[in-house]
Amino acid sequence: MRFRVLGPVRMDPRTPTAAKPRVVLATLLVQSNNVISTHSLIDELWGVAPPRTAATTLQVYVSQLRKALLAEGGVEPEPGRQPLLTQPPGYVMRVGPDDLDLTVFESLRARGRAAFEEREYATASRLLAESLALWSGPALSGIPHGPSLQTTAIRLEELRSEVLEQRIAADLKLGRHQELIGELMALAHEFPMRETLHELLMVALYRSGRQSDAVRAFHRVRRTLVDELGVEPDASLKRVLSRVLASDPALAWHPGRRPPRPRAVPSRAAPAGASGGTVRGAGAGAGSDTAARVRSSAQVGAAAIAGHPPGPAAAPAAPLLWLPPALTDFTGRDAELARYTTLFAESRTGTRPCVVAVSGRPGVGKTALAVQLAHHAEEFSGRVLVSLRDSAGRALTERAALIALLRRLMRPGDGPEELPGEPDELADLLHRTARGRDLLIVLDDVVAEAQVRLLLSAVADACVVLTSRRPLGALEQARHLVLDVLDRPASESLLLATGGPRMAQDPAAVAEIARLCGRLPLALRVAAGALAVRPHWTPADLARRLGDERTRLAALSLGDLDVRGGLLAAYQEVPEAERQAFRTLGLAPLPDFPLWVAESLLDLEPEAAEERLEELVRAQLLEARRPADDAGEVRYGYHPLLRSLALETAAEVDGPAAVAEAVARLGRACLLRARAADARLAPGRDRLASVLVTDLGDLAGHDPAVAAPLRWLQAESAGLLGVLRGLHAGGHWDLVCALASALGGYYEACALWDDWEASHEQALDAARRSGNAVAEAALLRSVGDLSWQRRHTGRAVDCHRHAARLFALAGDGIGAARCLTGEADVLLGQGEPERAGALYRQALARARSAGDARGCADARRGLALLALVEGRPADCLAELDACAAAAAALGDVRWHGYARRIADHVRAQRPTGPAAWSRLEIRPGVWLMNPPAATSGRG
């Protein structure tokens, strides 16, 4: 075993001698195969007062660890074999299942617990003993502990004690009481207030014929508890004393008799008559689905050693309650609570019991809501919760689910000693057990309808709440509730309720934290807890740490509350084809995307892509969003934290080459549609459409980019800019230039100056990186137009002249002529009509000779405006007619309408001298104020 943390922290072939590198090693190992952020490691190393050089020093420690991980003889590991990797936002230690003692311990522990529950006590004893043999001292010893390591060490020591108690319980089941006495006495001395150990010691002494020693053992622990804590021993320990004093023969060892299956016992928080085990608790406000342990299996085994379930004789008469505690800070879901509480009350007086199926993504609060509903329904005589997954997260079989519910519902002395083996027989027994009882049953974490169909038929008289990630749509007569995230007020209220008084000091930061957590209840609770346990943080500090999408999931981890783990479990449950789609679709533009984006990213036909999307929606890994007006196609999007997971897993699993290929496919699909829309709105405008990335194919006439280009651009504009940025980050220079050029006309028409500038800045950088002079010239000309409209006239002239030179060097006379028209527009706006007229006429001559209808229309527009401001209306109308004719030849409806509109105004005004217009529409939607004054503006 290469790495050890169950004792002094060690690794092979060599452990660093300095303490700080070993702290880094331990922190990475206890969360092996997960990315640990640099911020978390710095907190662990230095706490509230890190040095100024903390990040650099951490890099040194990591370097020392990597050197220590060298193979024997100092030979560098083969490429790809170094386990300590840099992965934003921090580091990850890749560890195999047999390389770390902690993972082996947890595996043996889970197998041992399962064997104990199946009454395979010899196997349980062996496996649990093997897990304990891995320990060589206190967990994580030999190093200083920061907040995370301290919490982990406490948790591991508790697990060690639990495993030890369960191993002893298994040995007692096997009749090894005499050989256990010495070990138990030593443990009782070491842990004088651990009541389960004293209970096991009393049973071992009694079975060895030492009844008086068993009584003395009780009085020793009682004296300790009273003197130290002022409390009496719990009811289970007192019951063992009563049975010892009564010489209960059932408490004695009976060789040759197979021990009956132990029945769970209630925790101190649960009333008599409840059952034991593990339930899925309500962790976060309106609900995280984190595991809540009611009582350990070792305690169950200790109480059931004699083959009799614990509890006083009057227990059957008590109400049956087996639920996690109600949350005092439960927030939100008021409408759901009111509706279903009323529904349960009505179902008790009607003839049809109620079955409610609650579904939603991990961390949305399904279990918490179900538990809160059960606590509100106090009128039921029995309320129980059963988790339909085992401690390792595996789904229970149909038979195991029936047995789990039977164990909750069967009272002491009920039912056969041996449970039936067939599911149908178990269902019959469950039906007899539940019949006539007023029950509310919570079946938590259901995997599929088949898992519970037989169970539901057996408890047809009970009210049932099911929770699941996927909607259980095939269940007959179930009422479905699909939980979404909390609304904004409820999410902020949850942060205030769970984050301590400092959270209330910065309302703006609270709102930002809620937004960054996607208002997911589990994420909100973890974020609030992270602030509460770090007194040196402010809410603004927390918001800043959550602000980076790459580090957000790593920051949302606190002890065993791990947002990433819950989301990852849902991801891992779907088939590989859906997992691959989930990862790749994370590259889609924000905030949501249509079907054609999925087609391009996944490289699938429309039908196959839609099927893949719908599978992800059913798995709660993707959201389907219908437009508010119910018009248009369905769009798809991620919850923000799920998108973070998609990008993270794509980088880990698929690698940079596959990601780059998918981004390029998406870029080409966007470019195809953007060019089609631009060609419909402004035919012939895009100078790069015929020279750069030309092998795109054609779109069908019914495609929205062709049929309704302006509406399509309005819907996709934000996403297209995001795609452009992604293309730039991936080095797809030609696609960046071509897409920015295709979008320039829309940005101008809708006055989206900021998007225009942002897209063209990146595109110009791409053009210069790739050395594409024509692309640089086309983009500079567009930037010149933008600068003119923003009144940056000096820059506008420079851009047009530079673009004209580049076009000329590239032999593109059409592009150079269009730059003359752009520069003339600037001069006309500055009150220099003579210079502007000369440039317009040059541009027209060149456009005519090159056969550029777009250039001719643009130059004639400029000459018409020049004639207008100089008081030559007849010349103006003639040029406008020529402009309209050129626009009609192009099929440009917008420019044709513009020319006709200006002509109508001129005829209405009929100026006879130089025009004194207060404003003049110099291009479609672009206005000059007080022309031809020295300054120009745009309205």
Side-chain angles (χ1 to χ4, degrees):
M1 207 168 295
R2 190 173 188 187
F3 303 101
R4 296 184 179 273
V5 295
L6 302 179
V9 177
R10 304 196 305 273
M11 74 176 187
D12 291 333
R14 178 174 62 84
T15 305
T17 56
K20 293 291 190 184
R22 283 185 286 130
V23 170
V24 176
L25 173 65
T27 306
L28 293 169
L29 286 175
V30 297
Q31 299 186 61
S32 59
N33 301 315
N34 288 312
V35 178
I36 310 301
S37 70
T38 301
H39 293 307
S40 298
L41 289 168
I42 290 174
D43 283 347
E44 196 65 34
L45 286 165
W46 293 287
V48 298
R52 186 176 304 174
T53 59
T56 303
T57 307
L58 174 60
Q59 292 173 358
V60 172
Y61 295 156
V62 171
S63 176
Q64 292 174 4
L65 285 175
R66 285 175 171 156
K67 290 178 181 177
L69 286 165
L70 291 176
E72 293 290 348
V75 179
E76 184 70 37
E78 297 176 14
R81 300 295 299 275
Q82 169 64 258
L84 178 48
L85 306 175
T86 300
Q87 185 170 319
Y91 303 93
V92 59
M93 181 73 82
R94 298 295 184 196
V95 176
D98 298 325
D99 289 342
L100 176 62
D101 57 359
L102 176 56
T103 56
V104 177
F105 169 76
E106 290 176 335
S107 174
L108 290 170
R109 170 179 170 266
R111 291 164 57 196
R113 288 170 59 85
F116 191 96
E117 291 172 2
E118 293 297 322
R119 300 188 300 163
E120 299 293 340
Y121 299 116
T123 301
S125 175
R126 175 179 57 79
L127 292 171
L128 295 171
E130 288 178 13
S131 71
L132 291 168
L134 296 169
W135 288 71
S136 58
L140 300 167
S141 55
I143 57 172
H145 290 176
S148 177
L149 288 181
Q150 182 67 28
T151 301
T152 302
I154 294 171
R155 180 179 67 86
L156 291 177
E157 290 296 336
E158 181 60 28
L159 286 180
R160 181 186 189 184
S161 298
E162 178 191 313
V163 170
L164 177 61
E165 291 169 358
Q166 191 165 32
R167 194 227 80 209
I168 294 171
D171 286 343
L172 280 173
K173 290 284 190 181
L174 297 168
R176 299 171 181 170
H177 37 272
Q178 289 187 337
E179 57 199 82
L180 287 170
I181 290 176
E183 180 183 8
L184 281 167
M185 283 185 168
L187 290 169
H189 179 75
E190 184 179 358
F191 304 103
M193 287 182 284
R194 198 167 181 96
E195 295 168 78
T196 303
L197 288 172
H198 291 275
E199 187 176 330
L200 293 168
L201 174 59
M202 291 172 65
V203 174
L205 289 168
Y206 177 78
R207 289 183 176 177
S208 301
R210 300 169 61 177
Q211 184 178 20
S212 59
D213 288 337
V215 174
R216 276 194 288 271
F218 172 84
H219 287 295
R220 275 196 302 272
V221 67
R222 179 185 179 277
R223 189 181 313 113
T224 300
L225 291 170
V226 172
D227 291 348
E228 297 290 335
L229 304 177
V231 298
E232 291 286 339
D234 70 3
S236 178
L237 201 59
K238 291 179 179 178
R239 283 196 294 272
V240 174
L241 174 64
S242 299
R243 297 176 70 187
V244 168
L245 293 174
S247 299
D248 186 350
L251 190 61
W253 170 247
H254 299 281
R257 187 180 80 177
R258 186 181 182 189
R261 189 183 300 272
R263 191 169 299 156
V265 298
S267 68
R268 289 186 188 177
S275 306
T278 302
V279 298
R280 306 289 293 177
S288 61
D289 300 329
T290 53
R293 182 147 318 276
V294 177
R295 199 173 183 189
S296 75
S297 297
Q299 292 172 298
V300 172
I305 288 298
H308 285 264
L320 179 63
L321 179 66
W322 193 281
L323 297 171
L327 287 172
T328 58
D329 54 7
F330 186 90
T331 304
R333 315 294 191 202
D334 295 334
E336 291 88 346
L337 281 172
R339 176 185 175 190
Y340 288 101
T341 300
T342 302
L343 192 63
F344 289 149
E346 292 173 350
S347 68
R348 296 179 68 246
T349 60
T351 58
R352 273 182 61 185
C354 182
V355 176
V356 177
V358 183
S359 59
R361 66 175 62 90
V364 80
K366 305 178 294 292
T367 301
L369 177 63
V371 169
Q372 207 72 6
L373 278 170
H375 277 288
H376 280 217
E378 297 178 347
E379 63 274 13
F380 289 91
S381 62
R383 292 170 285 163
V384 300
L385 181 146
V386 176
S387 175
L388 296 193
R389 293 180 188 266
D390 63 16
S391 57
R394 296 181 294 262
L396 298 185
T397 63
E398 181 184 56
R399 179 178 182 274
L402 289 162
I403 291 174
L405 183 56
L406 273 168
R407 289 178 178 172
R408 292 286 188 269
L409 297 181
M410 289 175 66
R411 297 185 175 107
D414 288 352
E417 184 171 308
E418 292 290 336
L419 292 177
E422 294 300 320
D424 288 342
E425 296 173 346
L426 284 166
D428 289 339
L429 177 58
L430 178 59
H431 177 69
R432 293 194 299 272
T433 303
R435 185 172 51 200
R437 299 170 69 178
D438 192 17
L439 296 174
L440 173 60
I441 299 168
V442 178
L443 300 177
D444 189 35
D445 223 346
V446 178
V447 175
E449 293 89 342
Q451 187 185 26
V452 295
R453 199 180 298 279
L454 183 59
L455 187 154
L456 290 175
S457 67
V459 292
D461 295 335
C463 286
V464 181
V465 180
L466 307 105
T467 72
S468 64
R469 292 172 190 159
R470 290 174 176 260
L472 303 173
L475 286 180
E476 298 83 357
Q477 299 181 352
R479 300 169 186 260
H480 294 279
L481 171 60
V482 180
L483 279 190
D484 202 352
V485 296
L486 296 174
D487 59 25
R488 178 175 175 176
S491 60
E492 293 177 10
S493 295
L494 178 56
L495 286 172
L496 294 173
T498 56
R502 280 177 297 137
M503 190 68 84
Q505 296 171 4
D506 192 342
V510 169
E512 180 65 2
I513 293 167
R515 185 188 69 81
L516 293 170
C517 290
R519 304 201 307 272
L520 189 72
L522 174 58
L524 294 169
R525 176 171 285 273
V526 172
L531 180 67
V533 300
R534 292 176 172 88
H536 56 291
W537 283 13
T538 65
D541 292 334
L542 176 59
R544 186 174 60 255
R545 289 171 184 260
L546 295 174
D548 188 341
E549 187 177 34
R550 299 169 301 169
T551 64
R552 194 172 303 156
L553 282 177
L556 290 172
S557 179
L558 184 67
D560 61 353
L561 288 178
D562 181 14
V563 176
R564 183 183 185 276
L567 300 179
L568 192 61
Y571 158 78
Q572 290 171 339
E573 282 191 350
V574 300
E576 173 53 31
E578 276 71 43
R579 290 202 295 271
Q580 189 272 335
F582 171 80
R583 298 191 300 268
T584 305
L585 290 171
L587 303 169
L590 295 173
D592 48 35
F593 56 91
L595 176 60
W596 64 265
V597 168
E599 294 172 33
S600 61
L601 281 171
L602 303 180
D603 200 15
L604 293 174
E605 293 299 317
E607 295 78 8
E610 186 172 23
E611 182 179 351
R612 206 64 55 85
L613 289 169
E614 291 301 322
E615 281 298 319
L616 291 174
V617 170
R618 283 192 286 272
Q620 299 289 345
L621 293 172
L622 203 62
E623 299 173 2
R625 302 166 183 169
R626 171 69 68 180
D629 57 0
D630 276 342
E633 58 185 341
V634 173
R635 300 178 71 87
Y636 300 88
Y638 285 91
H639 183 276
L641 299 180
L642 280 168
R643 184 172 186 271
S644 296
L645 180 67
L647 295 174
E648 179 184 311
T649 52
E652 291 178 2
V653 178
D654 300 321
V659 170
E661 186 178 342
V663 169
R665 285 198 304 271
L666 175 60
R668 292 173 66 85
C670 291
L671 178 59
L672 172 63
R673 287 162 175 80
R675 278 182 174 170
D678 183 67
R680 296 282 289 178
L681 293 173
R685 184 204 63 83
D686 184 6
R687 194 74 198 116
L688 298 185
S690 60
V691 296
L692 192 64
V693 194
T694 57
D695 56 337
L696 295 174
D698 297 312
L699 284 178
H702 59 76
D703 190 282
V706 178
L710 182 58
R711 184 184 303 168
W712 182 87
L713 284 165
Q714 289 169 338
E716 307 296 345
S717 175
L720 291 170
L721 183 57
V723 170
L724 188 144
R725 291 189 175 113
L727 291 168
H728 186 275
H732 302 284
W733 309 129
D734 285 354
L735 284 170
V736 174
C737 297
L739 185 56
S741 181
L743 293 172
Y746 169 70
Y747 290 149
E748 178 179 2
C750 295
L752 299 174
W753 289 350
D754 291 339
D755 290 353
W756 191 354
E757 181 175 27
S759 64
H760 281 54
E761 278 183 359
Q762 295 216 316
L764 278 171
D765 178 70
R768 288 161 182 161
R769 285 173 182 253
S770 63
N772 192 324
V774 172
E776 183 179 358
L779 294 162
L780 274 172
R781 176 178 175 270
S782 182
V783 172
D785 285 340
L786 171 63
S787 300
W788 167 57
Q789 293 182 29
R790 283 187 153 175
R791 304 184 185 182
H792 303 155
T793 54
R795 187 188 181 201
V797 170
D798 290 344
C799 285
H800 284 303
R801 289 176 178 174
H802 189 185
R805 286 194 296 271
L806 291 174
F807 274 129
L809 290 172
D812 188 342
I814 292 175
R818 292 185 182 183
C819 292
L820 295 176
T821 303
E823 183 181 351
D825 284 338
V826 180
L827 295 174
L828 183 62
Q830 289 182 305
E832 299 185 50
E834 290 184 4
R835 292 178 61 194
L839 292 177
Y840 284 135
R841 284 186 283 273
Q842 288 182 48
L844 178 59
R846 293 186 185 183
R848 277 175 171 171
S849 64
D852 179 19
R854 164 67 60 182
C856 288
D858 205 6
R860 288 194 177 278
R861 168 200 59 83
L863 289 169
L865 296 172
L866 178 64
L868 182 64
V869 299
E870 290 181 341
R872 296 182 285 110
D875 293 341
C876 173
L877 291 173
E879 296 292 353
L880 287 172
D881 287 342
C883 176
L890 281 168
D892 192 328
V893 177
R894 186 163 173 262
W895 271 64
H896 181 270
Y898 160 77
R900 292 301 183 204
R901 184 168 62 251
I902 298 300
D904 290 343
H905 282 299
V906 171
R907 291 189 184 97
Q909 296 289 333
R910 301 300 297 177
T912 58
W917 300 73
S918 62
R919 61 176 187 163
L920 183 61
E921 189 179 5
I922 192 169
R923 291 184 194 171
V926 181
W927 298 78
L928 281 177
M929 303 302 180
N930 300 314
T935 60
S936 64
R938 185 184 184 286

